[in-house]
Amino acid sequence: MDYGTYRGILTLVILVLFIVIVVWAYSKRSKNRFDSAANAIFEDEKKHNNTLSNEEKESEK
């Protein structure tokens, strides 16, 4: 096998890997996990705001 054959095989492997990643990313099975990760920052913000409001209530006492 020569250098061109190795490059062709490597290109095919990378193409297959790309297709597998795209199928995985757009599969319905992964959607819930991705949605959860995307909304995690908003949940942290709500927890932070609740903590601040609780601290304010305690300082008023």
Side-chain angles (χ1 to χ4, degrees):
M1 293 204 299
D2 62 341
Y3 185 69
T5 305
Y6 290 126
R7 289 181 68 184
I9 291 171
L10 181 62
T11 301
L12 182 63
V13 169
I14 291 172
L15 176 66
V16 169
L17 182 63
F18 175 77
I19 291 171
V20 167
I21 290 172
V22 168
V23 168
W24 169 74
Y26 286 100
S27 70
K28 291 186 180 196
R29 214 170 39 177
S30 298
K31 184 177 183 345
N32 291 335
R33 190 170 40 177
F34 291 148
D35 287 343
S36 171
N39 291 322
I41 191 164
F42 300 117
E43 293 170 5
D44 288 343
E45 185 177 337
K46 289 177 187 176
K47 289 178 186 176
H48 177 69
N49 289 339
N50 289 340
T51 303
L52 290 177
S53 64
N54 290 341
E55 289 175 356
E56 289 174 359
K57 289 178 185 176
E58 289 177 1
S59 66
E60 290 176 359
K61 289 182 181 181

